[in-house]
Amino acid sequence: MLQFDLWKRVLIWLMVAAGLLLAMPNGFYTRVEQSNDAEATIAVSGETDELRAMADGWPSFLPSSLVNLGLDLRGGAHLLAEVQVADVYAARMEALWPDVRDVLRPERATVGTIRLQPSGPLELRVKISQPEGMARALEVVRGLARPVVSLTGAGATDLEVRGENDLVIVTLSEAEQQATDERTVLQSLEIIRRRIDEVGTREPTIQRQGRDRILIQVPGIGSAAELKAIIGTTAQLTFQPVIGSGTNADAVAGAGNEVLPSLDQEGVYYTLEQAPVVTGEELVDAQPAFDQNGRPAVNFRFNPSGARKFGDYTAQNIGNPFAIVLDDEVISAPVIQSHIPGGSGIITGNFTVEESTNLAVLLRAGALPAGLEFLEERTIGPELGQDSIEAGRIACLVAFAAVLVFMGLSYGLFGLFANIALIINVGLIFGLLSLIGATLTLPGIAGIVLTIGMAVDANVLVFERIREELKTAKGPSRAIELGYEKALSAIVDANITTFITAVILFAMGSGPVRGFAITLGLGILTSVFTAIYLTRLLIVMWFERRRPKTIEV
């Protein structure tokens, strides 16, 4: 006889109700989205009457999670950027000069005077006046080498040192270059993600492509130019010693020095030591503020390492100026008035409130370790996204209607039960997508359309098996029970293999392929649940009520 325990019935209906409740906000998408945005703005900026009215547009006791719309549905910006990893090599060589100078100074009796020579971006060239001391110079400089921190560079060191006549030439090893490339791209990925998160965009796609390229897709943003403005600034902050200043942009800086323009003093140029005292990488916080004169500024704070270096430098250089440099422009060159031991300070300049806020965001997110070259950029308008949504909606409705008609004509009342389960199945898919915060793309819609077709597959297997059991003169109750029992293995096998395919697509694919895999995988789970449990429960409830002597499937 057909058996369905009470607790199973209650659990099935509770799961259906929970899934449909989670899916419900998507039926009021604009209203719920405005309410969520208002709540987020209130949490950051404080409450206003207008924001509170928008936030109250959706009851707080109801779920408010939505299915995020992908770039092809919502519109937005698409960028493909190439990380200029060679920039990191040059910066590394520049930063290495003070260390080389410091280890060679105690050896002057052997190597003579030490002078930095013009060098290429991938090497550091240091001239010694006594070539006969080259062996000792190479020995002490090689002592600066450190093991390469990577799986592929195990056992290798990061520096290669060789001598040519009176020159000590230092380069990065091949293993260190590979490890640096990997670190640079991964760091760029994380910093881009943090910068985009700072401006509150929804569900961006930020993925590595190939060796040194990054794909960036941000739904809902106005244009590719706007996206480039957010992520394209390197925001490389350095604190460098000042040698002098003047109005000549072509002044000879000398080896190890550079000439940079002033940001807020037109026509003024500073000659600085290239090796910075502290860099923006050692910043742990930056916030917009106002200086003692009420002008917009930025407060900053270093980590312990940066605070120690900053404190030591200010203690030894009281009365001397030092430059705060942002992206090769001197934004401020204050004179050190006293020792600054706390590792915190303030950046002043000719800022507006908006500029100080943006600068704080860029510094807080971190400095990009290398420049980005944008190889491809596209802006997808919301009109195209709306066309895609409309096309996907029509495809879903046509598939839905065709399946409903087919099941009704083929299996009568039992087909009606399958159709009810199918409608609930689609609702459960959207409920799960909302629960996990998934992003729906055009391939994702294709996955839902495929799920609609596959959802009734299990019911067809069951109903055909019931038909065969009825031909053996078994009663309707026994035929229904055997139909579900004997079809179960085929249903499980078919859906497990398809689910494994969805998992592989998700693990190996990216972007749209993952969107398809997510909706397909969730659709398989909900389809098995509705076919094995929900449709069976509907049939059992009908059978208990009617107690028919014969049934037609």
Side-chain angles (χ1 to χ4, degrees), residues 87-105 114-117 119-126 137-138 140-146 157-162 168-173 176 180 256 273-277 279 309:
D87 294 351
V88 180
Y89 304 155
R92 179 83 175 271
M93 290 295 99
E94 287 180 7
L96 188 63
W97 160 239
D99 294 333
V100 173
R101 179 187 61 199
D102 291 344
V103 297
L104 287 177
R105 273 178 177 169
I114 310 156
R115 293 188 182 278
L116 177 65
Q117 300 299 300
S119 308
L122 301 181
E123 63 181 13
L124 178 70
R125 303 168 73 92
V126 180
L138 295 179
V140 295
V141 174
R142 283 178 181 142
L144 295 173
R146 295 290 179 267
T157 56
D158 59 350
L159 300 178
E160 292 179 352
V161 186
R162 70 181 192 275
V168 176
I169 302 175
V170 186
T171 59
L172 292 178
S173 66
E176 177 63 14
T180 299
E273 289 187 21
Q274 279 186 328
V277 177
T279 68
K309 288 189 286 187

Side-chain angles (χ1 to χ4, degrees), residues 53-251:
M54 292 175 63
D56 292 339
W58 182 252
S60 59
F61 59 86
L62 290 177
S64 59
S65 297
L66 294 169
V67 175
N68 298 295
L69 299 181
L71 188 69
D72 49 3
L73 298 181
R74 190 182 185 90
H78 164 105
L79 295 175
L80 180 63
E82 184 177 67
V83 183
Q84 304 299 297
V85 292
D87 294 351
V88 180
Y89 304 155
R92 179 83 175 271
M93 290 295 99
E94 287 180 7
L96 188 63
W97 160 239
D99 294 333
V100 173
R101 179 187 61 199
D102 291 344
V103 297
L104 287 177
R105 273 178 177 169
E107 308 295 333
R108 281 182 174 175
T110 304
V111 303
T113 58
I114 310 156
R115 293 188 182 278
L116 177 65
Q117 300 299 300
S119 308
L122 301 181
E123 63 181 13
L124 178 70
R125 303 168 73 92
V126 180
K127 183 177 182 179
I128 59 176
S129 61
Q130 298 178 21
E132 59 273 15
M134 179 62 70
R136 178 57 182 165
L138 295 179
E139 180 184 351
V140 295
V141 174
R142 283 178 181 142
L144 295 173
R146 295 290 179 267
V148 175
V149 184
S150 75
L151 296 176
T152 58
T157 56
D158 59 350
L159 300 178
E160 292 179 352
V161 186
R162 70 181 192 275
E164 288 185 5
N165 300 323
D166 58 351
L167 291 177
V168 176
I169 302 175
V170 186
T171 59
L172 292 178
S173 66
E174 185 67 27
E176 177 63 14
Q177 289 185 30
Q178 293 179 3
T180 299
D181 291 352
E182 184 71 15
R183 288 195 302 266
T184 301
V185 175
L186 291 178
Q187 187 180 355
S188 297
L189 270 171
E190 180 59 29
I191 289 171
I192 289 172
R193 183 174 289 110
R194 277 192 276 169
R195 288 187 179 181
I196 291 175
D197 288 345
E198 284 274 1
V199 297
T201 54
R202 288 188 191 81
E203 293 302 316
T205 298
I206 305 169
Q207 296 172 338
R208 182 174 181 175
Q209 283 200 344
R211 187 177 66 89
D212 56 1
R213 294 182 178 183
I214 298 174
L215 174 68
I216 308 153
Q217 294 179 330
V218 183
I221 203 164
S223 66
E226 184 180 342
L227 180 57
K228 286 169 67 176
I230 295 172
I231 65 173
T233 307
T234 54
Q236 291 177 332
L237 183 74
T238 56
F239 295 78
Q240 297 172 228
V242 176
I243 297 173
S245 63
T247 57
N248 184 9
D250 300 320

Side-chain angles (χ1 to χ4, degrees), residues 264-344:
D264 57 355
Q265 293 179 290
E266 189 173 351
V268 176
Y269 296 86
Y270 290 89
T271 302
L272 313 174
E273 289 187 21
Q274 279 186 328
V277 177
V278 195
T279 68
E281 293 180 358
E282 293 164 299
L283 277 176
V284 294
D285 192 25
Q287 297 292 338
F290 293 93
D291 63 14
Q292 63 271 25
N293 298 317
R295 295 177 300 184
V298 176
N299 281 328
F300 64 87
R301 181 166 53 87
F302 290 119
N303 62 18
S305 171
R308 183 176 62 255
K309 288 189 286 187
F310 189 63
D312 292 345
Y313 180 79
T314 56
Q316 297 167 10
N317 292 273
I318 294 174
N320 296 328
F322 76 106
I324 303 173
V325 181
L326 178 70
D327 290 340
D328 295 330
E329 289 186 312
V330 178
I331 59 176
S332 182
V335 174
I336 301 172
Q337 303 292 343
S338 61
H339 176 212
I340 306 175
S344 61

